[in-house]
Amino acid sequence: MAGPQGLTGRSTILDVAAAAGVSRQTVTRAMNGMPDISTTTKERVLAAADRLGYRPSRFGRGLATGGDPQLGLLVEDLTNPYFPELAAAIVRKAGARGWTVLLAEGTGAPAGALEALEGQTDAVVGHFGPRADRWLDRPGGAPVVGLDVRADATHPGVRFDRAAAVNELTEHLVRAGVRRPAVLDASPDGTPSERGALLVEAFQRLGTRCRLLGGDGEDAARGAADSAALLASPDRPDAIVAFNDLMALGVLSTCRRAGVDVPGEVRVAGIDGLPVGALVAPTLTTLAVDLDAVAREAVDLAIALRDGAPADGPDARRTVHSRLVVRESA
Amino acid sequence: MAGPQGLTGRSTILDVAAAAGVSRQTVTRAMNGMPDISTTTKERVLAAADRLGYRPSRFGRGLATGGDPQLGLLVEDLTNPYFPELAAAIVRKAGARGWTVLLAEGTGAPAGALEALEGQTDAVVGHFGPRADRWLDRPGGAPVVGLDVRADATHPGVRFDRAAAVNELTEHLVRAGVRRPAVLDASPDGTPSERGALLVEAFQRLGTRCRLLGGDGEDAARGAADSAALLASPDRPDAIVAFNDLMALGVLSTCRRAGVDVPGEVRVAGIDGLPVGALVAPTLTTLAVDLDAVAREAVDLAIALRDGAPADGPDARRTVHSRLVVRESA
DNA sequence: CTGAAAGCGCTTACAG
DNA sequence: CTGAAAGCGCTTACAG
C-alpha cells in the first residue's frame, strides 16, 4: 500500500493521483462521476483509490464547495419518547430546507455537549432550561435556539404557551368532580417548573387547592414510584397531573398494579401529547404540543439567525400553543 | 457592517482581522481563548468579530485540525420507538469514543439519504434491508455497517440472531395451548421477512401450522387494523406475533377495544423489546434485542472499517442474540 | 480528454 | 505580545 500521509493518516487525493499517474483534478473527475474523462483513466484512478482506501475529506470538499449546512440538535434524554418525536420533526423540517441534523444527547452536561456541537454545526436547537441565557452570544458560538423557553427569557427561542390548555384541563377536571388534585412535578433544583406553577395557579383560580410534588427525575419509573406513595397517603388525590406523558404512563401502570380505577378513582393526565398515549389502557389525556409547528418555527428561526437575523429582534421569539386532548384517563 | 465575502457569504477570519487591524492568527488567538494575547487586543478582536457576525468555518478549522470524526446514523422511521432507542444507544457509544452522530431519516429513499450522509461522515450505520450489498464499496463511499443483516449478507454488519429466542417463544406458546397462531409480518415486497419465516418454521417444527399475514406497513395502525380483521375472521387465531413491538401495541389496543381478553382469548407478542412494552396493559411479551450490545458492535465495527480494517474480514460480521422476555400478554 | 494555477478558511509552528 | 509563511485536502474555472 502506498504511503498515506497528512493529518489524518489517511491517503489524500494526491496519493491517489500519484498512484494512478494522473493529476489531482483527474482524480476529482473520476471520484465524482464527472464528464470529460476517458473510461480507461477513470478505471485506473478508481482502482488506485480503492487500493489506497481513499476517501475524500469532507473538510477539504466542504471548504471548496461550501457544503451542506448542519443543524445541531441537543436533546436531554432520547429515552423519553418526547425527544425522538421532536428529533423526527426537526430532521424532517431541516431536511426540507437542505440542512442535515447532528444529534447530541446532553445527559447531565448540556454546556459541554453544546460547546462540542457548536464547533461542528451552523446553528443549534435544544431544550436548555432556565440557564440558556448564559450561552447566548458566546463569541464564535453558533446561534442557539431554545425550546420551551420561559416567558421572560431573553434569547432566541420557541415558547410553548400552555396557559390556555392548562386552564381547559383544570376546568375539565374540576367540572368532573376533582377536589384533591396533585401535580407530579419535575424540579431538579427544588423550584417548581413553569408547568407545575401554571397548574397550581389554574386550580387555585378555580378555588381548588393542588398539591405539588417536586422531585429529581422525569421518567416513567419516577412517575410510578411517586404516584405509589401518593396513592398510599392518607388523603389520596383524586387526580394526578404529571410533568410529562412518560411520567403519566408510570402513574397509569402503578394504578393498574394497585387496582386503582382510572378515571373512576383517580383521574390521570400528562403533558406532551405523545402518540403512545393513545395506545395504552386507559388512553392518556394530555396537553399536546404540536411538534411539527415547533420544528417549523425552530428550524426557521435557526436558519434566520445563521443568516444574520438579529438575536434580539421581535422575530427571534416564536410561540406555539398547546391544546388539551381529552382521552379516557381523565 | 464591513464586507463579508467568500463562498458562504459570511465574513471570514480575514474580514475580522482587517476590521480589528490585526493579523489572522491574532484573531485565532482571541476566538479560541489562546494565551499570548493582550487583553486590549483580544477585546478589540472579539468586538470586531461580534460586529461582523463572524463564525469560524468548521471546514476551515476541520481541515487545519483534523476535526472530530462523524458517524452517520440512518434510521427508517423515528416515529417507531425502536429507532430512537437505537439512536440513543449509538449516540452514547459513539460519544464515548469521541465520535459525534449525524442523524438522518431514510423515509422511502434510503439510497439518496445514504449518499447524502456519506458525504458528510466518516462511516455510516443503519438498517438497509436486503439491498444493502449494493451500497458496499461504492467508490469514495464511507464504510457502511448494516444492522439486522441477513445471514447470507456479504457486507459488514451486525446480525440479530433471533433463532433461539424464536424457538423459545413458539415453545412457550404451544406449551400454553396455542393451536392457531398467526404472524403479522411486514413484507413490503411480498416476500416474508426473515423474522416471519423464522416464526413459521419454528411453529412448523412443533407441528403447529402458523398463518403468515404480510403487508406494507409496520406501525401501530397497521397492527391495529390487521388484527381487527384477524379477530373478525371465522377461525380467529389464539395467538398473534407481530413483526415488531409497535405493531403489537396496535394489536393490544384492538383487543382491548374489541373486548378480547389478552392473554385469555388471544396471546400477543412482539419483537424488539421496547421499554414501553412494560408500561402498557397487559404488559407485552417480546423478543428483546440488546441495543447496547448492538450499538457497541456497530460503532466498534464502523470505527475499525474507517481505520482500514478489511470489509470482508471475519471481524466485519458481528452477531447479537435476542432473548425472550415473557410478560403478561403471552 | 488532461493538467497547472488559484483559492476555499482556518491553525500550527516559527520569527521577531 | 504579534505577524509572515506554509499547509491542511479538495474543487472550480481556465489552458491546452
Side-chain angles (χ1 to χ4, degrees):
Chain A
M1 193 182 270
Q5 53 193 39
L7 218 48
T8 61
R10 290 184 349 203
S11 45
T12 76
I13 194 170
L14 252 23
D15 297 319
V16 178
V22 298
S23 70
R24 64 216 282 164
Q25 48 275 53
T26 296
V27 176
T28 291
R29 290 191 187 95
M31 297 302 299
N32 298 349
M34 299 167 129
D36 293 336
I37 183 175
S38 76
T39 321
T40 340
T41 315
K42 184 168 183 178
E43 277 168 4
R44 188 153 37 95
V45 171
L46 256 26
D50 187 44
R51 190 154 17 94
L52 296 179
Y54 170 66
R55 292 243 312 118
S57 150
R58 65 174 196 275
F59 297 117
R61 176 175 300 178
L63 197 50
T65 63
D68 282 354
Q70 269 181 199
L71 181 70
L73 174 61
L74 185 63
V75 300
E76 284 170 23
D77 175 16
L78 281 167
T79 275
N80 177 347
Y82 166 80
F83 290 102
E85 294 286 341
L86 170 68
I90 296 266
V91 165
R92 286 164 192 164
K93 297 293 181 196
R97 300 193 57 172
W99 286 53
T100 52
V101 174
L102 196 63
L103 179 67
E105 194 179 21
T107 331
L114 177 63
E115 208 152 329
L117 255 192
E118 282 191 294
Q120 304 185 63
T121 57
D122 301 290
V124 176
V125 170
H127 286 261
F128 303 108
R131 303 145 304 189
D133 286 330
R134 247 202 321 191
W135 296 321
L136 181 69
D137 274 342
R138 216 164 49 75
V144 174
V145 173
L147 259 27
D148 200 5
V149 297
R150 301 188 69 114
D152 58 354
T154 62
H155 65 285
V158 179
R159 171 156 177 69
F160 296 5
D161 188 340
R162 301 191 181 88
V166 161
N167 284 339
E168 275 187 76
L169 173 63
T170 53
E171 279 163 23
H172 169 79
L173 290 174
V174 169
R175 202 180 310 125
V178 165
R179 292 297 172 263
R180 301 181 309 281
V183 169
L184 235 53
D185 198 21
S187 52
D189 51 0
T191 60
S193 72
E194 193 175 18
R195 330 182 180 186
L198 219 48
L199 281 160
V200 170
E201 286 162 25
F203 274 118
Q204 211 145 33
R205 271 196 301 278
L206 298 172
T208 306
R209 211 180 138 272
C210 171
R211 235 179 309 174
L212 187 72
L213 217 80
D216 194 10
E218 41 188 273
D219 57 2
R222 196 188 144 222
D226 282 16
S227 59
L230 226 36
L231 292 175
S233 76
D235 61 327
R236 168 194 282 199
D238 53 2
I240 300 180
V241 182
F243 176 80
N244 62 24
D245 281 355
L246 192 56
M247 284 178 66
L249 292 183
V251 174
L252 287 182
S253 79
T254 286
C255 289
R256 194 155 42 79
R257 219 165 301 269
V260 173
D261 183 58
V262 177
E265 298 178 67
V266 178
R267 289 170 189 273
V268 176
I271 294 181
D272 279 345
L274 300 185
V276 270
L279 291 177
V280 295
T283 53
L284 182 65
T285 292
T286 185
L287 301 186
V289 57
D290 181 348
L291 286 182
D292 275 335
V294 169
R296 189 188 341 110
E297 297 298 336
V299 168
D300 187 69
L301 178 51
I303 294 178
L305 291 171
R306 199 277 309 246
D307 291 341
D312 50 5
D315 224 44
R317 305 294 315 277
R318 315 281 175 102
T319 298
V320 171
H321 297 268
S322 295
R323 65 179 217 290
L324 173 64
V325 176
V326 178
R327 298 209 191 93
E328 297 165 358
S329 71
Chain B
M1 195 184 269
Q5 52 192 42
L7 218 48
T8 62
R10 291 183 347 203
S11 45
T12 75
I13 194 170
L14 253 23
D15 297 319
V16 177
V22 297
S23 70
R24 64 217 281 165
Q25 48 275 53
T26 296
V27 177
T28 292
R29 291 192 187 94
M31 296 302 298
N32 298 350
M34 298 167 130
D36 295 335
I37 183 173
S38 76
T39 321
T40 340
T41 315
K42 184 169 181 178
E43 277 167 3
R44 188 152 38 95
V45 172
L46 257 26
D50 187 44
R51 189 152 19 92
L52 296 179
Y54 170 65
R55 292 242 314 117
S57 149
R58 64 172 195 276
F59 296 118
R61 177 175 298 178
L63 197 49
T65 63
D68 281 355
Q70 267 181 200
L71 181 70
L73 175 60
L74 184 62
V75 300
E76 284 170 25
D77 175 16
L78 281 167
T79 274
N80 177 348
Y82 166 80
F83 290 102
E85 295 286 341
L86 170 68
I90 296 266
V91 165
R92 286 164 192 164
K93 297 293 182 198
R97 301 192 58 172
W99 286 52
T100 53
V101 174
L102 197 63
L103 180 66
E105 195 178 22
T107 329
L114 176 63
E115 210 152 328
L117 254 192
E118 281 190 296
Q120 306 185 61
T121 57
D122 302 289
V124 176
V125 170
H127 286 260
F128 302 108
R131 302 144 304 189
D133 286 330
R134 244 200 326 189
W135 295 320
L136 181 68
D137 273 342
R138 216 163 51 75
V144 174
V145 173
L147 258 28
D148 200 5
V149 298
R150 301 188 70 112
D152 57 355
T154 62
H155 66 284
V158 179
R159 172 156 176 70
F160 295 4
D161 188 341
R162 302 191 179 88
V166 161
N167 284 338
E168 275 187 77
L169 173 62
T170 52
E171 279 164 23
H172 168 79
L173 290 174
V174 169
R175 202 180 310 126
V178 166
R179 293 296 172 263
R180 302 181 309 282
V183 168
L184 235 53
D185 198 20
S187 52
D189 51 0
T191 59
S193 72
E194 194 176 18
R195 332 182 177 187
L198 219 48
L199 281 160
V200 170
E201 285 161 25
F203 274 118
Q204 212 144 32
R205 272 195 301 276
L206 297 172
T208 306
R209 210 182 139 271
C210 171
R211 235 179 309 174
L212 187 72
L213 216 82
D216 194 11
E218 41 188 273
D219 58 2
R222 196 190 143 221
D226 282 17
S227 60
L230 227 35
L231 292 176
S233 75
D235 62 329
R236 168 195 282 199
D238 54 2
I240 300 180
V241 181
F243 177 78
N244 63 24
D245 281 355
L246 192 56
M247 284 178 66
L249 293 183
V251 174
L252 287 182
S253 80
T254 286
C255 289
R256 194 153 44 76
R257 218 164 302 267
V260 174
D261 184 56
V262 177
E265 299 177 67
V266 179
R267 289 169 190 272
V268 176
I271 294 181
D272 279 345
L274 300 185
V276 269
L279 292 176
V280 295
T283 53
L284 182 65
T285 292
T286 184
L287 302 188
V289 57
D290 180 349
L291 287 182
D292 274 335
V294 168
R296 189 187 343 110
E297 298 299 335
V299 169
D300 187 69
L301 177 52
I303 294 178
L305 290 171
R306 198 275 311 244
D307 291 341
D312 50 4
D315 224 43
R317 305 293 315 277
R318 315 282 175 101
T319 299
V320 171
H321 297 269
S322 295
R323 67 180 215 291
L324 173 65
V325 176
V326 178
R327 298 208 191 96
E328 297 166 358
S329 71

